Amino acid sequence: MTTANAYPVTQTIRTIGILGGGQLGMMLAEAAMPLGYQCVFLEDNSECPASLYGHVFHSDQLEDFIAAADVFTLEFENTPTSTVEQLTALSKSGSKQGMFPPLIALDIAQDRLKEKQMFNTLDIATVPFMEVNSEAELKHACKELGLPIVLKTSRGGYDGKGQFVIKQDSDIKAAWLDLKDAVSGKGSLTPTPAPLIAEGFINFSREVSIIAARAQNGQVRCYDLVENHHHHGILAKTQAPAVGTSHLFQQAKDAITKVMNHLDYVGVMALELFVTKDARGHNTILANEIAPRVHNSGHWSIEGAITSQFENHIRAVVNLPLGDTDNVHPAIMVNVLGQYPDISAVLNIDGAHYHSYHKAERDDRKIAHITLMPNDVTDLEPAMAKLVAVLPNKVGLDKEYASIDTQSNKADVDVKDSTKSNVQNNATADDLGNKDSQTDSLTSPSSKSEKAKK
């Protein structure tokens, strides 16, 4: 039990209140404990992952939650803005020591149209888009942007809901009928009236993201660009760093720094990006969306960076100096979806780090993640092949790594059956990067929905 003299007399923040109690809240609490901070959570599921690390208050107990904490943050961007407004007001009055990130970041992240408009205001390139409030405006958008396009609700929508791909003129009426209620606020996807957004299609080669932390004094520290692969709209794999993207890092760093400074942001933010070609045929990036919180594509940083995204978020929230974001060693993070693997089989792979979220199994639910960081980078792909082989849900990676696993197994047999000392069958990290950068295909930049964020 914590005693009254357990903290330095100069430490005015002892407990961090986190809005949400999922695995992100759990990992934030894990990072806070070594720094000397406790966490409490506002979450209606009393058996949430974060319950292992602190008291969980139901939303009906908001006042008790507020009383229990000194400073506040969040782990889920769909947190009601009314709650954040209340916590912000308490901070302004001086009775509490802050609500981070700021309300404006939440408001923009919850509205795709505002988000795209902010990017363009800051001279950050995006896919072409138009606001849509009527069927006539939708027809005009289709003409201006060119088909195909994707029509979405600007607010709400998840797991593929709240969007419609228009491939030909005959799809326009069906798309409008499917999503028009969001404009009036009558639909189930949005609680308040909000326009639709029409987005043009682009050719892109890769999906990448950059994560950064911003301190209360305005200092910004960025992690390496990472490459993300999705399976049915859910993040399946993140490679850190993204191979062959050093020439794009400064562009990505400038973009996220602009956004954070514009919002006077405090904490960790992720910026999701598409790699495409500019008019001269050179690689460039387009901004897709921000996540005003710690992010799934940064889980590798627990082992793979000098300071994890979770620790840096805690540092920012309690006004401590930010930590070094340098990559310690190339890594691959894989999400475990739906069903737990045999942990012994996973940990039998050199360089494997297993993180359970203590959730019940359920189809496509994120219940754990595994980070691979073998000592020799040339072992990264063979380790991935071994991991995929023991995952109950292969998250679409089995086809990519089947041949590598076969080659690796054959190499093991060759070593046993001969005196050869140098088997060259293992793929290199560069090979992985080349596989991940195959020819562009006509794909919707927004086909990846916000699903399974929790």
Side-chain angles (χ1 to χ4, degrees):
M1 181 175 181
T2 302
T3 58
N5 62 352
Y7 300 91
V9 293
T10 56
Q11 184 171 321
T12 57
I13 296 175
R14 300 183 178 186
T15 304
I16 302 166
I18 299 177
L19 301 173
Q23 65 265 20
L24 299 182
M26 180 189 79
M27 288 184 276
L28 283 169
E30 289 174 344
M33 290 179 72
L35 297 176
Y37 300 93
Q38 295 181 319
C39 294
V40 293
F41 309 90
L42 190 69
E43 167 67 59
D44 289 346
N45 176 14
S46 62
E47 297 182 355
C48 62
S51 65
L52 296 169
Y53 293 91
H55 188 79
V56 177
F57 294 90
H58 191 275
S59 56
D60 294 338
Q61 301 173 297
L62 178 60
E63 294 304 320
D64 293 334
F65 167 75
I66 291 172
D70 304 305
V71 67
F72 303 95
T73 188
L74 56 85
E75 61 119 40
F76 187 47
E77 65 265 41
N78 286 328
T79 299
T81 54
S82 58
T83 303
V84 178
E85 285 175 353
Q86 183 175 348
L87 297 175
T88 300
L90 290 171
S91 301
K92 289 181 177 179
S93 71
S95 61
K96 295 295 176 180
Q97 297 198 34
M99 169 66 222
F100 307 108
L103 178 63
I104 186 174
L106 207 63
D107 180 58
I108 288 176
Q110 291 180 4
D111 190 310
R112 296 179 183 89
L113 189 59
K114 288 182 180 179
E115 191 173 47
K116 290 288 194 298
Q117 291 169 340
M118 176 192 68
F119 287 143
N120 286 183
T121 298
L122 297 175
D123 198 27
I124 299 170
T126 67
V127 298
F129 68 94
M130 294 181 69
E131 179 177 339
V132 171
N133 290 282
S134 66
E135 186 175 357
E137 288 185 0
L138 176 57
K139 290 178 179 178
H140 178 65
C142 290
K143 182 178 179 181
E144 289 295 310
L145 298 175
L147 297 180
I149 67 165
V150 60
L151 182 68
K152 305 178 184 178
T153 57
S154 59
R155 299 182 67 88
Y158 60 93
D159 289 357
K161 299 176 182 178
Q163 59 182 277
F164 196 111
V165 177
I166 301 175
K167 299 178 181 178
Q168 51 197 13
D169 288 342
S170 59
D171 294 333
I172 294 176
K173 180 167 286 293
W176 174 250
L177 291 174
D178 190 54
L179 299 179
K180 67 181 179 65
D181 284 348
V183 177
S184 61
K186 295 177 181 178
S188 60
L189 293 172
T190 55
T192 55
L196 304 176
I197 180 172
E199 296 183 355
F201 274 55
I202 59 162
N203 290 315
F204 69 91
S205 58
R206 297 200 258 179
E207 295 184 42
V208 298
S209 59
I210 187 168
I211 290 175
R214 186 175 186 271
Q216 293 182 35
N217 65 5
Q219 179 193 23
V220 175
R221 304 195 78 155
C222 296
Y223 292 86
D224 284 334
L225 268 173
V226 299
E227 181 165 354
N228 302 315
H229 293 255
H230 295 81
H231 179 63
H232 297 157
I234 303 173
L235 183 64
K237 180 188 80 169
T238 294
Q239 182 177 357
V243 176
T245 58
S246 58
H247 61 298
L248 297 173
F249 175 75
Q250 191 61 48
Q251 187 182 353
K253 179 181 178 181
D254 290 346
I256 197 168
T257 301
K258 280 183 184 179
V259 171
M260 294 180 114
N261 288 339
H262 174 72
L263 300 175
D264 196 19
Y265 193 88
V266 172
V268 164
M269 172 187 287
L271 173 61
E272 299 178 8
L273 304 151
F274 299 107
V275 179
T276 187
K277 300 287 186 183
D278 61 19
R280 296 172 296 174
H282 299 154
N283 280 342
T284 189
I285 53 176
L286 299 177
N288 180 34
E289 63 184 23
I290 61 169
R293 53 174 172 80
V294 288
H295 194 257
N296 197 174
S297 70
H299 291 359
W300 64 272
S301 66
I302 297 174
E303 290 86 21
I306 292 175
T307 311
S308 77
Q309 65 163 341
F310 300 99
E311 181 176 337
N312 261 335
H313 187 80
I314 295 296
R315 288 190 185 204
V317 167
V318 301
N319 201 20
L320 290 175
L322 297 181
D324 194 331
T325 54
D326 280 356
N327 186 295
V328 173
H329 200 280
I332 294 178
M333 187 282 301
V334 175
N335 275 326
V336 177
L337 303 182
Q339 184 178 350
Y340 288 106
D342 179 348
I343 188 171
S344 294
V346 172
L347 296 182
N348 195 44
I349 302 169
D350 286 343
H353 300 270
Y354 187 90
H355 296 261
S356 173
Y357 303 156
H358 306 275
K359 290 181 173 181
E361 295 180 335
R362 190 175 69 208
D363 285 351
D364 286 340
R365 188 184 200 189
K366 292 178 185 175
I367 57 176
H369 77 263
I370 298 162
T371 300
L372 295 177
M373 267 182 49
N375 187 53
D376 188 338
V377 71
T378 62
D379 291 333
L380 196 53
E381 268 209 354
M384 262 301 296
K386 291 175 182 177
L387 176 59
V388 171
V390 300
L391 288 177
N393 185 346
K394 311 296 183 185
V395 292
L397 298 172
D398 47 333
K399 293 180 181 178
E400 180 178 354
Y401 288 96
S403 61
I404 298 170
D405 190 37
T406 300
Q407 291 173 9
S408 182
N409 290 337
K410 182 178 183 300
D412 291 340
V413 171
D414 288 344
V415 169
K416 290 176 183 177
D417 293 347
S418 72
T419 57
K420 294 179 182 178
S421 60
N422 294 307
V423 179
Q424 299 294 328
N425 287 333
N426 289 347
T428 65
D430 287 339
D431 292 332
L432 178 59
N434 292 336
K435 281 196 186 111
D436 291 345
S437 306
Q438 293 175 353
T439 306
D440 295 358
S441 59
L442 185 63
T443 311
S444 167
S446 304
S447 61
K448 174 174 64 64
S449 69
E450 283 92 349
K451 61 182 165 178
K453 289 257 173 102
K454 292 276 278 179

